[in-house]
Every structure is written in C-alpha cells, then in structure tokens.
C-alpha cells in the first residue's frame, strides 16, 4: 500500500534488513561510521521503546551494545542495560531481566577503575542498580550522594 508521499507502507517493507547490520565485524570496522551505526541503533531502540514496540527496541539495544566500546561508552552501555532490564520486566521475562541487572552491577563495580574518582554519575548509576535489586534504602542513599556530588561538581 502506498501513502500520499509514494512510500510503500506494506508490513514487509517496514522490516529492517538485519543481515546488513549483522555483517559488520566489530573488530575490523572501528571507525566513525561504526560509532554512527551504534548511535543510530540506540536512537532507533529508544524510539521503539517509547512507542512500546519492545521487540524492535530490544533488537536495536542489543545491536547498539555490540557496537559499543569500553570505556568511552560506559554510561551509554549502562543506560542500554537499564532499558533491557525494563523491557524484560515488562515482558515478564524475569530471568533475562535478572541477567541484565547482574551485568549492570558488574559494570558499576568496574566503574571505580575506569573513572579514577567516584563522581555523581557513579553514585547515580549505583543507585539505579540497587533499585533494580530491590535494595531501596541503599538506592536512596546513593541517589542522595549523587545529588551532593553533583552540587560539588557544578
């Protein structure tokens, strides 16, 4: 079916050709284009998440994670893991949600070596992980520390 602009709106035409994206070899293709593809996948994932299309959001978040680089993308990686936790929680796939919580926890633990000093963003992310784990009092304490640090940093 065509719309007024002449674009084909058939369901088949809306499916993304994942084979093209899967051909990207992470080790060989480290360039500006590689970074752009990762950012684009993140934006598409966020858009689909906002539209409640959890299936496509998950696919794009996972592809963006594959294209992310440590340590420069550490906070973006953390955000994507958070989205994946929420997606799997909303889909009632608790086992997968727990796996992403564990990955988030490991990432926060590694932040201390990546950052050098513990800044507001560290305590905020630690609060997020504690919240995922149901440790709400610890989460609140870390959010308060993040707030204090952000006032000091600014």
């Amino acid at each position: 079916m065509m719309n007024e602009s002449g674009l084909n709106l058939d369901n088949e035409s809306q499916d993304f050709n994942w084979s093209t994206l899967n051909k990207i070899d992470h080790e060989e293709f480290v360039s500006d284009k590689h970074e752009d593809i990762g950012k684009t996948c993140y934006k598409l994932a966020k858009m689909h998440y906002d539209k409640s299309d959890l299936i496509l959001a998950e696919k794009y978040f996972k592809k963006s994670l594959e294209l992310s680089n440590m340590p420069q993308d550490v906070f973006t990686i953390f955000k994507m893991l958070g989205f994946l936790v929420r997606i799997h929680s909303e889909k009632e796939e608790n086992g997968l949600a727990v796996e992403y919580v564990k990955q988030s926890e490991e990432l926060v633990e590694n932040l201390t070596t990546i950052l050098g000093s513990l800044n507001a963003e560290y305590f905020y992310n630690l609060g997020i992980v504690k919240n995922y784990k149901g440790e709400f009092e610890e989460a609140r304490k870390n959010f308060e520390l993040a707030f204090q640090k952000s006032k000091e940093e600014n």
Side-chain angles (χ1 to χ4, degrees):
M1 169 169 65
M2 298 275 217
N3 71 3
E4 294 171 355
S5 66
L7 294 174
N8 187 349
L9 297 178
D10 292 336
N11 284 339
E12 291 178 18
S13 69
Q14 293 179 5
D15 289 339
F16 184 78
N17 183 356
W18 286 98
S19 63
T20 303
L21 204 51
N22 288 330
K23 289 179 183 174
I24 298 171
D25 181 27
H26 186 73
E27 298 301 320
E28 292 180 19
F29 192 62
V30 179
S31 69
D32 290 339
K33 288 183 182 179
H34 176 207
E35 184 177 320
D36 290 344
I37 292 170
K39 286 179 182 178
T40 300
C41 286
Y42 176 82
K43 289 177 184 178
L44 286 169
K46 182 80 171 70
M47 178 193 69
H48 285 291
Y49 182 83
D50 291 343
K51 292 172 62 178
S52 298
D53 185 346
L54 301 181
I55 294 168
L56 280 179
E58 178 185 3
K59 285 183 180 181
Y60 283 114
F61 279 126
K62 286 181 176 179
K63 182 49 76 174
S64 186
L65 274 174
E66 287 177 28
L67 297 169
S68 298
N69 296 308
M70 286 290 283
Q72 64 267 29
D73 296 332
V74 67
F75 292 114
T76 303
I77 291 168
F78 191 82
K79 282 188 218 175
M80 288 186 280
L81 291 172
F83 276 110
L84 289 167
V85 168
R86 290 191 293 281
I87 287 169
H88 289 291
S89 294
E90 290 176 34
K91 291 168 65 177
E92 297 181 354
E93 298 172 342
N94 294 332
L96 290 170
V98 168
E99 285 302 313
Y100 287 114
V101 169
K102 287 179 185 175
Q103 288 182 34
S104 297
E105 191 172 29
E106 291 169 9
L107 186 60
V108 166
E109 289 172 8
N110 292 332
L111 280 177
T112 56
T113 58
I114 293 170
L115 294 176
S117 67
L118 303 180
N119 60 15
E121 202 157 12
Y122 168 80
F123 288 107
Y124 172 79
N125 287 317
L126 184 57
I128 294 289
V129 169
K130 296 293 183 184
N131 190 50
Y132 289 154
K133 294 176 66 181
E135 298 172 4
F136 303 116
E137 187 58 32
E138 286 295 314
R140 186 183 62 77
K141 288 177 184 176
N142 282 289
F143 289 136
E144 289 172 353
L145 276 170
F147 177 69
Q148 288 295 1
K149 288 279 190 181
S150 69
K151 288 182 1 184
E152 293 169 10
E153 293 168 9
N154 294 322

